[in-house]
Amino acid sequence: MKYDFNRIENDWQKYWADNKTFKAVNNSDKPKYYVLDMFPYPSGAGLHVGHPLGYIASDIYARYKRHKGFNVLHPQGYDSFGLPAEQYAIQTGQHPAITTETNIKTYRRQLDQIGFSFDWSREVRTSNPEYYKWTQWIFIQLFESWYNNDTNQAESIDTLISKFSSEGNAQINAECDDDISIFSSEEWNSFSSEKQQDILLKYRLTYLAETEVNWCPALGTVLANDEIVNGVSERGGHPVMRKKMTQWSMRISAYAERLLQGLDTIDWTDSLKESQRNWIGKSVGASVRFPILSFPKGEAKSDSSQPAGYMTGGNNSHLLIERAQEMRANPTKAEAALWESLRGKKLDAKFRQQHLIGDFIVDFVCLDKKLIVEVDGKIHENQIEADNARTLRLENDYYKVIRFTNEEVLGDVESVLEKINKELSQRESIKSNQQSSEQHKSEKVLPLGKDLGWDIEVFTTRPDTIFGVSFMTLAPEHELVSRIVTDEQKTEVEAYITATAKRSERDRMADVKTISGAFTGAYAEHPFTKKPIPIWIGDYVLAGYGTGAVMSVPCGDQRDYDFAKHFNIPIPNIFEGVDISEEAYGSKDNVKIANSDFLNGLNYKKASKTAIYELEKRGQGEGKTNYRLRDAVFSRQRYWGEPFPVYYVNGMPQMIDKAHLPIVLPEVEKYLPTETGEPPLGRATDWAWDTKNNKVVSNNLVIPTEGGTTDEESHNGIYPLELNTMPGWAGSSWYFFRYMEDKANRDEAFASEDALKYWENVDLYIGGSEHATGHLLYSRFWVKFMKDRGFVNVDEPFKKLINQGMILGTSALVSRIGIQFPSKPDQDVDKSLFNLTLFVSENESEKCKEKKEKEIEGFISKREAQIKQKYPDMNIIRATRIWPMHVDVSFVNASDELDIEAFKNWREEYKDAEFITEVDGTFKVSREVEKMSKSKYNVVNPDAICEQYGADSLRLYEMFLGPLEQAKPWNTAGITGVHGFLKKLWKLYVDDNGLKVNDAEPTADNLKTLHKTIKKVEDDIENFSFNTSVSTFMIASNEFTAQKCTSKVILEPFLILLSPYAPHIAEELWNRLGNDESISTAPFPKFEEKYLVESSKNYPISFNGKMRFTLELPMDMSKDDIEKTVMAHEKTIAQLEGRTPKKVIVVPGKIVNIVG
RNA sequence: GCUGAAGUGGUGGAAUUGGUAGACACGUUGGACUUAAAAUCCAAUGUCCAUUAGGACGUACGGGUUCAAGUCCCGUCUUCAGUACCA
């Protein structure tokens, strides 16, 4: 009887479906085990052999666990919202739901034929309203929650509101936007409802905010960071730009620390955890504030332009004095002229030139009368502001400031002097008031830099190197840049900013080597040394990370070092005994700090701690932890996604009550954005929310809210709905909970409390590594949130996770020789005569080469002759080129030989192609391993494999290819190996007369083979080493065959071992052995050591570590006896050639090694 | 650059604790069966030398530890994956 796999597989698949063999129950005496695959997006292309790899592995594990006595949940479903169905809809007008439905049918058929033990009664589809109802519900929960840093968990927004109304927000330690002002409970209670909503939005875990997003114009939507690869979209490779848009965001950053800590509690690969750690990007360090001095060094005062404002802060008089001296030495013409007159004592008072008053240098001052005279050049706008601020402060100190322009002074010095004189006389009377107001004055004086918030705040992980700061660098986009830049530097800085803005994100990323930047002319003050530090801008500082500004320590950071070298900025060394003449010393280890005042001699740890302490003492900084993880943008300008349960009243988002969910995706006539740039939902005619009747109604009923009317009546209580949809990761962030409940019972909740309690979380999760930072991070975030709010009981969704490796295609390439005979087109020629399509076989041997060259030449000259004959006058020029061309792998056999006939029929253009073959008439292709792709014709469809070899062969072969987690090439030819094994296995049980198996007593060898196989297979499955199990089956089957084993007590348990891998044949034979029940829950055979105990061992006898021969010796022989026996052996004597060994190593049961 | 994984026959891979390197397959070669092909079965198959017996060399490269190293240690190179001016 033949192994009729097609019949067998069909029958058993039907049996499993009919008997609901794999239906999981939500209560059982057995321990639970939850095995999950990452659910697929049902693409139109269907499955190729790479897709089922992970499913086969998880199925083997699920089936194994059933044999081991577990109540196994092994569900499957579809991540059915997504771009391809929408793109297809845009092109064809077909509703994405229809496309999706069709694709799912194909997927289901393909999955079914492989014989998976899925419990389909729990299927989910993210695009089903009954499913996304709960996605919307979770969104509402997020909206109605805030993150309390004191309790370190999410809480209902109600607790926040009650805190606001009882104590205001000053004491609240929440994860929230950073632009929130402090208010008291009275203020809160007096705020309008709209203002309150506005404030609450800044605290909610999902919030609406104008954010800079990754906008992909080609796709017409925003993309998350993990949807962008190398600066272009993951799907389609379209360019991505930064754009400001109002979007829903998820406050995942609130969970950064817990997402990081949670990694230590789960069994994932190190590389995956590392990816997540990188993505979260925790750095511990300090936040430091550097006051801006805005005191440009070396700035020349010229005729035409006036120096920038003299705004300063902190104690820097030494610098100002230096500066004043410089200015005195280089007066402008007007200043020189006026000084001439003032000094010439034409007036009654004593004036000083370029004198220091407080933090300011003034042009001229009469100290007695507190009169300041300023001579201004052309004043820039922002300098007026600065000068006004300065004037204000000086006036606080009871100085009077009068101003003249250069022109006034140079034109008519006399009238200027007259004005000064007049002021001097008026100042007499004011002088007396001064003392009485002294008290008042001291209250009002503030350090100006601080007053205006003109600090530069930086984040550093190396506060220990703070004395190594020799400059600061701001991102070109930093908001302070335009305010601190000096006139001199303005042109340069502006040019630099423009140049940077022009460069795309991608260029900036690609070109890291080029150092660029510009000096702003401004200075900041070092918090400890009080020395001025030049402020630069440079695009190596990113606006999006930290504060968008850095304190540059060239001796300790290579980027700062390179920047400093490039712009000739000093590089002070603050490391003890480290040479920094070539490069920065970036390490934190093995070094002590030097030239750093109170930090001298300390190591990284102590110095950092001390520096932070000192900064805190001075109020100029504090210890801080920074995360790279950004809040996740949650809006997509797409049709085929979950609609938001949100409507807007006067621009403020409102949640639709849970009772009215789901809000079903509306119909649109086209799936493109509207002409006005709104998302596709903007095309829906019925997309407004009727708050009275709680239903979606026509847009026409919405009365425009112009003029700010807020009363319900004027709207009829009907408001516009949100036009964005949710991103792909919304539905996939919680689907594993939905499976916990049977379809029949999941209307009331996303899953019942009992179900959630019973199944807890996924014990084993298998899927691709491409989700390392997307799906796997978002899911963890949502689960933690749901745990906080008491909706689920677990902290982590996936206890153990394995990434299956990619299966690559083995492309087949032929060498094509194209020959063209260019001719003048004016003639009406037979074109087919001029193009020759010639393929040449790939084999490289010399003999063939000669033959082939000859033949190629033959073909070409023959054609030339034909042309000559037809067009005798034509001047023929021959042009030849060879290029490799992909051919469909299905035309190629295991020996890399091309089926020429099949290839000719592939395409019309190859019908008359010529082939130059090997000597034996075969045509060889060359092979290349690359990603499976339609365009490379190397995609292998599992349908064809199942048809030709059967699902069991496919399952075994996919496992046999290599380790699960490793990428490996597919080569269909190799499947004959495992298929042959199944045929042999069949013959072990069944022959032409029917069943061979009988009640024969097992031999010792039979038992040994069986138990060795039990042990190996069990260990392999536990270690997910599925490839080695397959060879173990082959070995066992070969041994049983050699042993002519027919014993049922051996061959029956062997089927259970095989059943997870090749379930159909196992069921069939199991059934033939007389079992009525499915094999699927038969207990896994118990391994018994006693059958493996050997009486003797074939010892390898080594000489100096090299094995020379083997010797069969009893297992219980003593060490001494082994040595004696071996030494007496004739082969030993021959090996030694009379030498006396120095040493003999005997490891009983292992090896004998003779040294000498 | 950083992080992680890896490098073994013609190919996929095995060797899980340092103890006979190349299991199990594919492919190749030869043979049996057959009119023939397919299927099936048998044998050989790391490289080199040798008629045989046997020997030398072999796990990316260079060192080291050990009676013994694919496995452990140091250094170098290469490949793949992820990530990237993250301060």
Side-chain angles (χ1 to χ4, degrees):
Chain A
M1 233 178 134
K2 222 184 107 206
Y3 167 44
D4 185 0
F5 50 87
N6 291 125
R7 202 265 312 149
I8 293 169
E9 292 176 0
N10 256 320
D11 285 1
W12 286 101
Q13 281 162 16
K14 187 167 184 309
Y15 175 93
W16 295 329
D18 292 348
N19 292 278
K20 299 188 168 59
T21 308
F22 304 114
K23 189 163 166 32
V25 288
N26 280 5
N27 45 62
S28 165
D29 301 337
K30 297 173 177 179
K32 73 101 188 181
Y33 201 88
Y34 186 178
V35 184
L36 184 64
D37 296 294
M38 289 183 187
F39 62 168
Y41 174 79
S43 81
L47 293 172
H48 66 60
V49 289
H51 295 117
L53 180 71
Y55 306 154
I56 294 169
S58 66
D59 196 58
I60 288 169
Y61 205 79
R63 287 175 180 269
Y64 167 75
K65 280 288 182 184
R66 288 193 195 96
H67 289 304
K68 278 287 187 180
F70 286 82
N71 181 28
V72 173
L73 174 57
H74 186 40
Q76 187 59 288
Y78 306 96
D79 190 11
S80 46
F81 271 134
L83 270 179
E86 180 159 342
Q87 296 289 56
Y88 188 74
I90 291 168
Q91 285 159 22
T92 64
Q94 173 157 283
H95 197 290
I98 296 170
T99 314
T100 303
E101 183 65 36
T102 314
N103 293 349
I104 285 178
K105 279 214 177 87
T106 310
Y107 260 67
R108 180 62 190 273
R109 182 185 56 73
Q110 288 190 299
L111 290 171
D112 280 350
Q113 78 186 347
I114 302 172
F116 293 119
S117 64
F118 292 131
D119 176 1
W120 285 106
S121 74
R122 296 166 184 256
E123 184 199 283
V124 304
R125 298 181 190 185
T126 53
S127 62
N128 271 6
E130 62 90 13
Y131 179 85
Y132 67 67
K133 165 180 174 176
W134 296 101
T135 311
Q136 293 172 338
W137 180 84
I138 294 169
F139 175 82
I140 295 172
Q141 299 306 324
L142 282 154
F143 183 81
E144 296 187 339
S145 302
W146 64 292
Y147 200 88
N148 187 341
N149 277 328
D150 287 336
T151 57
N152 200 21
Q153 60 171 20
E155 292 179 11
S156 165
I157 200 80
D158 297 338
T159 65
L160 186 68
I161 295 170
S162 71
K163 275 174 201 256
F164 282 171
S165 53
S166 65
E167 57 183 73
N169 73 344
Q171 296 306 313
I172 287 177
N173 183 9
E175 202 65 42
C176 56
D177 291 4
D178 42 23
D179 60 341
I180 298 173
S181 37
I182 306 288
F183 52 79
S184 67
S185 58
E186 293 78 31
E187 283 171 306
W188 170 259
N189 292 325
S190 68
F191 287 154
S192 70
S193 147
E194 241 161 71
K195 169 118 196 191
Q196 287 183 344
Q197 285 182 40
D198 190 45
I199 291 166
L200 286 172
L201 204 48
K202 295 173 194 288
Y203 286 85
R204 297 179 190 273
L205 283 183
T206 185
Y207 59 97
L208 206 51
E210 178 160 274
T211 40
E212 195 161 81
V213 296
N214 306 300
W215 173 255
C216 179
L219 295 173
T221 190
V222 301
L223 297 171
N225 286 340
D226 64 277
E227 290 170 315
I228 299 164
V229 180
N230 294 329
V232 297
S233 69
E234 190 187 17
R235 274 188 191 274
H238 305 293
V240 174
M241 50 193 273
R242 308 287 291 169
K243 188 179 172 183
K244 284 220 166 193
M245 283 176 84
T246 299
Q247 302 277 297
W248 284 102
S249 275
M250 287 280 163
R251 217 177 285 283
I252 188 172
S253 54
Y255 284 86
E257 186 60 31
R258 282 167 66 189
L259 288 169
L260 192 65
Q261 296 304 324
L263 291 172
D264 296 335
T265 68
I266 49 185
D267 183 8
W268 294 12
T269 59
D270 287 340
S271 69
L272 199 72
K273 287 186 184 181
E274 205 50 39
S275 291
Q276 294 222 338
R277 287 196 188 103
N278 271 334
W279 199 259
I280 296 166
K282 178 179 183 174
S283 17
V284 179
S287 164
V288 187
R289 284 179 296 276
F290 290 72
I292 297 168
L293 293 175
S294 171
F295 199 59
K297 186 184 164 192
E299 175 201 324
K301 204 172 179 186
S302 68
D303 278 1
S304 56
S305 76
Q306 182 70 10
Y310 312 99
M311 210 158 328
T312 66
N315 174 18
N316 50 3
S317 50
H318 60 285
L319 196 86
L320 292 161
I321 292 165
E322 191 182 286
R323 171 78 185 147
Q325 282 167 349
E326 203 180 298
M327 287 163 97
R328 248 170 263 156
N330 303 294
T332 64
K333 272 188 199 161
E335 282 171 6
L338 186 58
W339 181 235
E340 248 343 279
S341 310
L342 291 172
R343 202 168 50 168
K345 302 205 182 190
K346 287 185 179 173
L347 298 170
D348 234 8
K350 189 188 174 188
F351 274 84
R352 289 162 200 269
Q353 183 194 15
Q354 304 295 358
H355 195 82
L356 203 64
I357 304 215
D359 287 342
F360 306 114
I361 301 170
V362 297
D363 286 348
F364 307 99
V365 60
C366 170
L367 291 173
D368 293 344
K369 307 244 166 131
K370 289 212 160 190
L371 181 70
I372 292 165
V373 178
E374 290 279 15
V375 181
D376 302 331
K378 279 177 191 156
I379 300 168
H380 260 280
E381 251 189 291
N382 66 335
Q383 199 173 318
I384 292 176
E385 192 188 305
D387 278 343
N388 288 345
R390 191 165 76 108
T391 306
L392 204 76
R393 286 215 41 212
L394 290 167
E395 283 173 355
N396 263 329
D397 282 356
Y398 301 99
Y399 281 94
K400 167 90 186 181
V401 181
I402 53 170
R403 293 179 177 277
F404 301 97
T405 63
N406 283 336
E407 289 73 23
E408 284 177 280
V409 174
L410 292 171
D412 186 359
V413 131
E414 285 309 318
S415 81
V416 167
L417 284 174
E418 201 172 300
K419 281 181 188 161
I420 294 172
N421 222 354
K422 199 174 160 197
E423 284 294 339
L424 282 171
S425 58
Q426 283 182 11
R427 294 293 294 171
E428 294 282 349
S429 54
I430 296 166
K431 203 178 174 180
S432 55
N433 294 340
Q434 234 175 276
Q435 296 301 329
S436 61
S437 308
E438 204 62 58
Q439 186 82 30
H440 184 226
K441 170 197 140 190
S442 66
E443 269 173 17
K444 274 201 152 180
V445 172
L446 290 163
L448 187 59
K450 277 237 165 212
D451 188 24
L452 296 178
W454 285 21
D455 289 323
I456 297 177
E457 189 177 353
V458 300
F459 174 74
T460 177
T461 53
R462 298 293 305 272
D464 58 316
T465 63
I466 192 153
F467 285 92
V469 174
S470 65
F471 60 105
M472 305 195 67
T473 317
L474 307 187
E477 302 91 336
H478 198 285
E479 52 156 5
L480 278 179
V481 173
S482 63
R483 298 166 65 191
I484 60 169
V485 65
T486 61
D487 275 4
E488 263 86 10
Q489 295 303 112
K490 198 151 198 164
T491 324
E492 194 188 330
V493 163
E494 276 170 2
Y496 181 68
I497 291 171
T498 322
T500 324
K502 262 192 204 151
R503 290 175 77 194
S504 69
E505 198 85 347
R506 209 181 176 189
D507 290 345
R508 235 165 117 168
M509 268 198 268
D511 178 23
V512 178
K513 290 268 147 14
T514 315
I515 296 159
S516 66
F519 179 45
T520 62
Y523 291 79
E525 181 193 76
H526 192 281
F528 298 125
T529 65
K530 303 293 177 192
K531 281 186 185 152
I533 303 163
I535 302 169
W536 288 69
I537 61 173
D539 68 359
Y540 81 96
V541 176
L542 304 175
Y545 181 77
T547 60
V550 300
M551 57 176 229
S552 301
V553 184
C555 67
D557 183 290
Q558 195 57 44
R559 291 157 303 164
D560 295 343
Y561 186 92
D562 295 340
F563 195 86
K565 268 267 150 90
H566 189 258
F567 290 108
N568 274 320
I569 303 168
I571 303 176
N573 189 355
I574 49 130
F575 297 115
E576 210 173 286
V578 171
D579 175 24
I580 55 151
S581 57
E582 290 297 321
E583 56 177 8
Y585 185 79
S587 171
K588 294 170 178 174
D589 307 323
N590 307 321
V591 72
K592 284 193 170 141
I593 303 294
N595 303 324
S596 297
D597 198 344
F598 53 85
L599 299 178
N600 285 342
L602 301 179
N603 63 18
Y604 158 73
K605 229 177 157 176
K606 281 188 179 158
S608 294
K609 232 176 144 178
T610 312
I612 291 170
Y613 174 78
E614 291 294 331
L615 283 167
E616 283 175 356
K617 219 164 80 180
R618 286 163 170 74
Q620 285 199 265
E622 56 273 316
K624 196 183 172 184
T625 301
N626 225 15
Y627 298 91
R628 194 179 81 108
L629 186 69
R630 301 278 86 140
D631 281 351
V633 175
F634 198 67
S635 301
R636 295 290 182 277
Q637 292 67 47
R638 293 266 127 200
Y639 176 74
W640 194 230
E642 297 87 349
F644 284 83
V646 173
Y647 62 94
Y648 289 89
V649 177
N650 285 337
M652 286 313 271
Q654 313 293 326
M655 293 296 124
I656 290 169
D657 194 276
K658 296 152 199 143
H660 313 303
L661 298 182
I663 301 304
V664 180
L665 200 55
E667 296 302 317
V668 294
E669 26 89 49
K670 251 162 116 186
Y671 303 94
L672 287 167
T674 66
E675 281 69 26
T676 52
E678 284 177 327
L681 293 196
R683 292 181 179 273
T685 50
D686 291 2
W687 199 235
W689 185 248
D690 180 339
T691 55
K692 286 179 180 155
N693 302 306
N694 292 313
K695 59 176 192 182
V696 175
V697 295
S698 168
N699 297 352
N700 299 333
L701 301 173
V702 179
I703 294 164
T705 57
E706 278 166 50
T709 44
T710 52
D711 61 305
E712 291 265 318
E713 284 311 310
S714 66
H715 292 84
N716 277 332
I718 294 168
Y719 301 96
L721 281 157
E722 167 74 54
L723 298 181
N724 287 295
T725 53
M726 298 187 196
W729 56 268
S732 61
S733 292
W734 71 278
Y735 74 108
F736 35 88
F737 289 128
R738 187 66 163 168
Y739 286 133
M740 291 179 181
E741 195 62 78
D742 202 274
K743 263 185 193 171
N745 304 324
R746 53 193 191 193
D747 290 342
E748 298 300 312
F750 63 88
S752 70
E753 247 175 75
D754 287 348
L756 289 164
K757 208 166 177 180
Y758 180 73
W759 292 110
E760 295 179 322
N761 49 11
V762 177
D763 294 287
L764 174 65
Y765 195 35
I766 295 185
S769 55
E770 67 272 21
H771 298 110
T773 48
H775 161 60
L776 290 174
L777 199 61
Y778 298 130
S779 303
R780 296 182 59 223
F781 158 46
W782 276 30
V783 167
K784 285 180 189 304
F785 161 73
M786 287 164 88
K787 165 84 197 268
D788 284 354
R789 295 299 317 274
F791 307 132
V792 299
N793 321 300
V794 292
D795 279 309
E796 290 286 343
F798 317 116
K799 274 195 235 171
K800 181 173 176 67
L801 185 134
I802 293 177
N803 290 131
Q804 85 271 23
M806 199 193 301
I807 290 190
L808 303 163
T810 312
S811 304
L813 296 122
V814 294
S815 290
R816 178 176 175 170
I817 302 184
I819 300 146
Q820 294 208 318
F821 303 98
S823 67
K824 284 171 201 148
D826 53 314
Q827 288 190 62
D828 186 18
V829 294
D830 176 6
K831 274 193 186 146
S832 66
L833 209 51
F834 287 81
N835 286 315
L836 178 58
T837 311
L838 190 58
F839 295 98
V840 59
S841 177
E842 275 290 331
N843 202 320
E844 288 288 320
S845 88
E846 273 308 306
K847 203 169 84 188
C848 294
K849 212 171 152 191
E850 215 174 280
K851 169 198 174 258
K852 286 177 197 165
E853 272 165 17
K854 236 186 218 168
E855 285 183 37
I856 294 171
E857 180 54 36
F859 273 113
I860 299 174
S861 14
K862 190 174 146 202
R863 185 62 62 90
E864 271 176 344
Q866 288 171 336
I867 296 171
K868 271 231 157 74
Q869 198 184 358
K870 202 162 178 188
Y871 309 106
D873 302 334
M874 188 175 287
N875 185 20
I876 299 170
I877 304 152
R878 191 195 281 183
T880 315
R881 67 188 184 107
I882 306 180
W883 71 93
M885 194 186 92
H886 281 92
V887 299
D888 198 308
V889 286
S890 63
F891 303 151
V892 181
N893 73 7
S895 313
D896 294 344
E897 287 160 11
L898 182 74
D899 180 342
I900 293 176
E901 281 314 304
F903 178 65
K904 278 183 168 177
N905 292 329
W906 189 29
R907 299 257 171 86
E908 189 60 35
E909 54 193 297
Y910 303 139
K911 216 157 196 130
D912 301 315
E914 306 282 0
F915 293 84
I916 295 176
T917 62
E918 301 302 313
V919 184
D920 61 3
T922 60
F923 187 96
K924 300 253 185 196
V925 299
S926 63
R927 294 289 206 167
E928 201 169 306
V929 171
E930 42 194 3
K931 215 171 156 175
M932 271 201 189
S933 122
K934 252 184 177 170
S935 63
K936 289 172 184 139
Y937 305 107
N938 59 3
V939 177
V940 180
N941 186 316
D943 299 14
I945 304 286
C946 287
E947 173 73 30
Q948 205 181 341
Y949 301 98
D952 285 338
S953 291
L954 175 73
R955 292 170 62 109
L956 283 171
Y957 188 51
E958 295 231 353
M959 292 298 105
F960 187 62
L961 280 178
L964 178 61
E965 301 189 48
Q966 193 175 301
K968 55 232 162 216
W970 176 272
N971 189 351
T972 304
I975 201 170
T976 54
V978 290
H979 188 62
F981 154 71
L982 287 178
K983 286 202 270 192
K984 280 188 248 174
L985 180 89
W986 182 259
K987 282 194 210 154
L988 188 58
Y989 290 79
V990 180
D991 63 14
D992 291 341
N993 307 317
L995 197 68
K996 276 165 73 180
V997 182
N998 55 34
D999 291 331
E1001 272 299 307
T1003 65
D1005 279 348
N1006 294 161
L1007 287 162
K1008 195 173 141 188
T1009 300
L1010 176 66
H1011 282 269
K1012 148 182 117 175
T1013 307
I1014 296 172
K1015 172 135 182 62
K1016 176 79 175 132
V1017 171
E1018 187 166 349
D1019 288 353
D1020 281 348
I1021 297 181
E1022 298 281 1
N1023 292 309
F1024 303 95
S1025 172
F1026 302 114
N1027 53 327
T1028 48
S1029 296
V1030 181
S1031 38
T1032 305
F1033 292 135
M1034 291 173 174
I1035 293 166
S1037 167
N1038 289 342
E1039 286 183 7
F1040 289 141
T1041 306
Q1043 293 160 11
K1044 299 199 178 354
C1045 175
T1046 55
S1047 174
K1048 188 174 170 181
V1049 292
I1050 297 295
L1051 295 178
E1052 195 173 62
F1054 182 57
L1055 288 176
I1056 303 172
L1057 301 182
L1058 184 70
S1059 144
Y1061 290 80
H1064 307 88
I1065 194 172
E1067 286 274 24
E1068 176 75 13
L1069 292 172
W1070 178 258
N1071 182 264
R1072 282 173 187 246
L1073 288 181
N1075 297 290
D1076 293 329
E1077 291 283 306
S1078 161
I1079 196 173
S1080 61
T1081 51
F1084 203 78
K1086 204 167 156 29
F1087 167 65
E1088 288 185 64
E1089 184 80 50
K1090 65 181 178 192
Y1091 296 115
L1092 297 196
V1093 175
E1094 302 266 0
S1095 61
S1096 68
K1097 156 88 190 171
N1098 195 21
Y1099 279 91
I1101 313 299
S1102 304
F1103 293 81
N1104 296 318
K1106 282 179 183 137
M1107 205 278 290
R1108 293 292 131 151
F1109 62 94
T1110 59
L1111 191 59
E1112 189 85 18
L1113 292 172
M1115 211 50 191
D1116 53 5
M1117 198 182 226
S1118 75
K1119 216 170 154 177
D1120 287 350
D1121 289 345
I1122 292 173
E1123 183 169 340
K1124 271 180 213 153
T1125 318
V1126 170
M1127 291 315 290
H1129 198 270
E1130 55 175 27
K1131 282 190 179 167
T1132 310
I1133 293 158
Q1135 278 294 332
L1136 286 172
E1137 293 173 320
R1139 281 169 290 137
T1140 315
K1142 283 187 204 134
K1143 208 173 180 184
V1144 179
I1145 311 276
V1146 178
V1147 184
K1150 288 242 161 124
I1151 200 170
V1152 177
N1153 191 15
I1154 298 157
V1155 187

